Amino acid sequence: MAESPEEVAVLVQRVVKDINNAFKRNPHIDEIGLIPCPEARYNRSPVVLVENKLGVESWCVKFLLPYVHNKLLHYRQRKQWLNKEELIDITCTLLLLNPDFTTAWNVRKELILSGTLNPVKDLHLGKLALTKFPKSPEIWIHRRWVLQQLIQENSLPALVTKENLEMAPTERMQQLVKEEMDVCCEAAGRYPSNYNAWSHRIWTLQHLAKLSTKILLDELSSTKHWVSMHVSDHSGFHYRQFLLKSLFGRTGTDCSGQMNNQPAGQQVTSLPKEENSEEAETGSMDEHQTDRSLLLKEEVEFCTDLINSYPGHETLWCHRRHIFYLQQHLKNKPSLPRIWSTTADSGDGMLSNSHPDVALSHVTQAMDVDGLIESNKQSYTQETKRLKRAPMQDTMNLEEEYRFIDDILSMCRNVQQVRFAGAYRKWLVSFLGQ
């Protein structure tokens, strides 16, 4: 085994070269890892490539990591010169072993801005690093920076590959959103309650998908299986709460945006004189209200099934509280405040752990948009208008909630389940008594 500085330098240079040659031989590597090996037993390269998996024998890390780390620091301190290819190779090796080294990511940012490095390659590097370090905050932060560069108009050609050459820009963006969702899902599965992965998923919805209703509904459907397999993962259920709040906040946000975008002299008043316009708006709002009731009903049934199937998980009871709170707020205020669709965006898409009461106490009531004109909507009957003006139907009847709690308390033998059910009853009494 190498001991002298000269031997270490030769060994490390060979390992760095072997790692980069592995990427050249197989650009479809999808996972990295360390191979437990206390010492070198054979005179061969410690880099192992099997199919699409790249492994490095652990004995060489104690030589490899300090060497590339010091080499990069000397470059930043202008004590040593490295050409661009050497920088790419060294930072790649360093970040696969230690992705929390911010300086290496900053060097790669400079290479991307100079046009030396393709930003798509950094997305692939980050994806590989996440297979070993799924919760590393620096990987997610750099990933968001790269995505911001890609979605700029002058960087869209970077998304073009041989596979998507014939796709329209919109389709490429949809493909990018799907790839990000897959990366987040895989990272969330590798590390329980992976706050950073779910936060990045929210950021993707906000900045890439622009909170598209179709994508929000698809996400609500696709994450159902995941959370049912991870019933103690609060971050996953918080993501579903974000989806519901974003879907319910679309009406108020979209309507207020349309009103603000009206040309001067054509702004819509809150009480239009034409009956047809009122009926069109009535139908639009009633359609949203029906969707809300259906979504809440499905979420209640889903939560009930999980509580009965997996007793003793506090995350499920917290999720049920949020659904009940959401229903009560919708019943009193048809349009959610816009902050509900952006509570997870604290400048970088981070999840917010604050209680809805805290957020709403600083927000004014949503604008009344009953008079919004949408000429492309169909005419609706007087009965539809009457139903629209009626209070939103409860998907979680209070009496049924108390009956559900009583059944748990009388039939369940799980001590934790009984405790959570009792706490939920107290919360209902306290919440409704406010």
Side-chain angles (χ1 to χ4, degrees), residues 151-185:
I151 60 180
Q152 292 178 0
E153 185 177 357
N154 59 352
S155 297
L156 283 176
L159 291 173
V160 180
T161 61
K162 294 181 180 179
E163 291 77 10
N164 63 11
L165 185 61
E166 298 180 355
M167 290 185 180
T170 304
E171 294 176 337
R172 294 195 193 107
M173 187 59 65
Q174 292 175 351
Q175 183 183 24
L176 183 63
V177 171
K178 183 181 181 302
E179 291 174 356
E180 288 305 298
M181 296 303 175
D182 293 340
V183 170
C184 294
C185 185

Side-chain angles (χ1 to χ4, degrees), residues 219-252:
E219 284 292 287
L220 194 64
S221 175
S222 63
T223 56
K224 181 176 288 189
H225 175 72
W226 195 96
V227 296
S228 65
M229 301 296 291
H230 303 78
V231 292
S232 291
D233 196 311
H234 178 75
S235 295
F237 282 95
H238 185 282
Y239 180 71
R240 290 186 66 83
Q241 294 163 17
F242 168 83
L243 295 175
L244 290 170
K245 289 186 290 187
S246 298
L247 286 167
F248 298 157
R250 295 301 291 169
T251 304

Side-chain angles (χ1 to χ4, degrees), residues 250-262 266-285 288 335 367-377 388:
R250 295 301 291 169
T251 304
T253 302
D254 293 345
C255 292
S256 60
Q258 293 175 15
M259 294 181 72
N260 293 331
N261 292 332
Q262 290 291 331
Q266 298 182 10
Q267 190 167 1
V268 181
T269 60
S270 59
L271 292 174
K273 297 180 180 179
E274 296 182 6
E275 182 70 13
N276 291 337
S277 298
E278 182 181 355
E279 291 178 357
E281 166 60 14
T282 298
S284 175
M285 297 296 290
H288 283 289
S335 296
M367 182 182 298
D368 181 10
V369 293
D370 283 349
L372 183 66
I373 297 177
E374 292 188 15
S375 57
N376 60 337
K377 295 295 181 180
K388 183 261 174 181

Side-chain angles (χ1 to χ4, degrees), residues 172-362:
R172 294 195 193 107
M173 187 59 65
Q174 292 175 351
Q175 183 183 24
L176 183 63
V177 171
K178 183 181 181 302
E179 291 174 356
E180 288 305 298
M181 296 303 175
D182 293 340
V183 170
C184 294
C185 185
E186 183 177 354
R190 290 179 179 272
Y191 195 100
S193 295
N194 195 336
Y195 172 93
N196 294 312
W198 292 104
S199 297
H200 181 79
R201 196 164 183 162
I202 289 177
W203 183 92
T204 301
L205 287 178
Q206 293 172 327
H207 294 82
L208 300 185
K210 303 299 181 183
L211 292 178
S212 166
T213 302
K214 180 182 181 301
I215 295 180
L216 290 173
L217 290 172
D218 290 343
E219 284 292 287
L220 194 64
S221 175
S222 63
T223 56
K224 181 176 288 189
H225 175 72
W226 195 96
V227 296
S228 65
M229 301 296 291
H230 303 78
V231 292
S232 291
D233 196 311
H234 178 75
S235 295
F237 282 95
H238 185 282
Y239 180 71
R240 290 186 66 83
Q241 294 163 17
F242 168 83
L243 295 175
L244 290 170
K245 289 186 290 187
S246 298
L247 286 167
F248 298 157
R250 295 301 291 169
T251 304
T253 302
D254 293 345
C255 292
S256 60
Q258 293 175 15
M259 294 181 72
N260 293 331
N261 292 332
Q262 290 291 331
Q266 298 182 10
Q267 190 167 1
V268 181
T269 60
S270 59
L271 292 174
K273 297 180 180 179
E274 296 182 6
E275 182 70 13
N276 291 337
S277 298
E278 182 181 355
E279 291 178 357
E281 166 60 14
T282 298
S284 175
M285 297 296 290
D286 182 67
E287 181 180 356
H288 283 289
Q289 183 168 297
T290 303
D291 292 340
R292 291 173 177 179
S293 300
L294 180 60
L295 288 174
L296 279 178
K297 180 181 179 182
E298 291 177 349
E299 194 68 16
V300 171
E301 293 175 350
F302 177 56
C303 186
T304 301
D305 181 61
L306 291 179
I307 289 176
N308 289 328
S309 301
Y310 305 98
H313 291 272
E314 188 176 14
T315 300
L316 302 177
W317 289 97
C318 292
H319 186 58
R320 193 177 189 90
R321 290 188 191 187
H322 191 91
I323 300 172
F324 185 87
Y325 177 90
L326 187 59
Q327 175 193 269
Q328 295 300 310
H329 184 79
L330 286 174
K331 185 171 65 172
N332 299 327
K333 300 177 182 179
S335 296
L336 283 174
R338 185 170 185 175
I339 192 173
W340 273 49
S341 62
T342 57
T343 51
D345 185 10
S346 58
D348 206 9
M350 293 296 106
L351 293 175
S352 173
N353 292 325
S354 60
H355 193 278
D357 289 337
V358 179
L360 290 173
S361 63
H362 301 286

